[in-house]
Amino acid sequence: MNKVNLKDIAKHLGISIATVSYVLNGQEKERRVSSATAEKVREAIHQFEYTANQIAKSLKTKKTNTIGIIVADINYRFTTHVVRAIEKECQLYGYTVIFGSSYENPETFLTILNVLINKQVDGLIVIPVDNDRGYIEQLKSREIPFVIVDRVPEGSDLSIVSIDNKDLAYQCTQHLVKTGHQRVAFMSYQTGLSHLLDRKAGYVTALQDADIEIDQNLIIEIDEKNFVRGVQSGIDALLERGKSCDGIFFTTDTIAVEAIKYLNQKGIRVPDQVGIVSFDESDAFPLFHVPVTHGRQPLRQIGEVAVKMLLELIDENTPKGNTILKSTFIVGKSCGEK
Amino acid sequence: MKKLSLKDVAQHVGVSTALVSYVLNGQAVEKQVNKDTAERIMAAIEELNYTPNQIAKSLKMRTTNTIGLVVADINYRFSTGITRAIESESKKRNYTVIYGSSNEDENKFSELIDVFVNRRVDGLILIPSENSQDQIRALQKSEIPFVLIDRIFPNIKTNYISLDNFKASYKATEYLIKLGHKRIAFINYKTTMFHLQERTRGFREALSDHKLTIAETLLPEILSANLAKDIQQAIDNVLHLQEPCDAIFFATDTLTIHGLKYLNKLKIKVPGDISVLSFDGSDAFELFYCPITHSKQPLEEMGKLAVNTLLDLVNHSKINMQISLDADIVIGNSCGESV
């Protein structure tokens, strides 16, 4: 079949190529194309079965109007909200978003990276899964603009959006102390990831500042490969007689939800028997019988800022440094608050 | 042993390093590398035992080995539930999954399909958004292999893996009836989407088959734009009827979560004051004080079938796969089972 192009359609309708292009790109309202004309263009396109070749377009402008995201795990609440925010922001600038999930695996991260570059994205937003700069060198060698989110690597030659993990963890721990808990436990993953290590540092500093001795028995670090078992045996260990903790700080919403499930199962009453605070918010919390006290990362803002930063980078490639956004702390009733 | 470089491989075959690189990166087709040359290069790589890094894996297949998965909304728990299954099966078959989310917008849906098609993913798995029939028809005319999952358009014949929503809803409603509930409310979205409408149809037919009257006031419809408010209003309405309801059947897990949140707020006890049944489970339910009875979609099976069906299509098998699976009922205590 004869492949029809923009020029043919414009000629056929007796209008300018620009007008046809606007309708094709969904810009008719912006560019004030009359709805009758837009309708005619759409009809013609349908009739001629025109399919705009994105790559042909991109050869002209050298851009494909697509942004790639590499997320750490598509099942994290963090991911769903940040990606949603990125998509919304990208829509304002006419960018489409595609993404892949590395599942916290450095090899998978690289595979996704290769696929996205192969798919000719204009830029990348990445949530890294490694602390060493290997992946950064890979990204740089591909000469593609990229913004790093959430986990902060060393180096001032990068563009990063993050939060102050240590500070929010400090607040969470301090809150447990202030609400009368003296044996405050910590539940996290066994990990080298910087953002989680920062949360541990916040916990430690908060206890030190309150003159509370750090008890290693109250620090539980779970192997994520054995997640449910890890959480359950962690809770068992913490509430064992003699070692009993009276408050627990969970460094992620996933851990918090699994732990609360188990506490429910065992009939352990919150906040009467144990107070709890979660670093992150979960959509499951409102189903619990008391509002859960938790931190709240500025997820929407993280997405928006990341996009703005990336678009600047795509325009002119000077690193933007680390933008640290503020989190908030939501007081519930899970620590026995009045 | 001396470490081999790309250059060594190129020299061995008698071609440029660029060609070797294209083959290694799965770009042989795109970059129009001569088929015989590509084969010689691959043979050399194996013979010489050259492994640059993970990219070498794509060596074995001459395609880019990607599946484009378009979900309706990345926020939907269902979306993430099924993606786990799709990822796992894809990994076994050596495919990478790249996602796009349409946010229930048919224009976005169309855009994403364009992006994936133009960038030559090997195939597509789609959860179509409302009103995307035209895009699906256009896809059928193109050569790209695709499978629909979860939602279908009954007037368009495509390969699909879905749930028999009518049957599952009928079964769940019947379950409530057999437990003695007589005035069951059904809370669903106001929608044209077939799979959701089928849930309403199953509910109605179960009531009618058991000779229970269908009061329209017990079938409030929710606008997704106003979710929390609408659900609260709907619950208020069904609780304050002259003859109030004794059970609420929520058509999706999202609706259930909002519903339970509100019932908590109103201090209404489940199942003591009212029974609750959910179509679709959710991890969130486990934070509630009462285990929630729900129909459970076979997400793992659906994901697995979708991937395998798609890959059969990719490998040029002629297929006609229209599968409607059954849901099980996971029994909790929210329908007064232990009374």
Side-chain angles (χ1 to χ4, degrees), chain A residues 241-257:
Chain A
R241 241 160 297 190
K243 291 193 194 155
S244 249
C245 76
D246 56 8
I248 314 177
F249 165 41
F250 301 106
T251 59
T252 78
D253 56 303
T254 319
I255 296 177
V257 170

Side-chain angles (χ1 to χ4, degrees), chain B residues 5 34 208 213 322:
Chain B
S5 74
N34 172 284
S208 133
T213 40
Q322 279 99 31

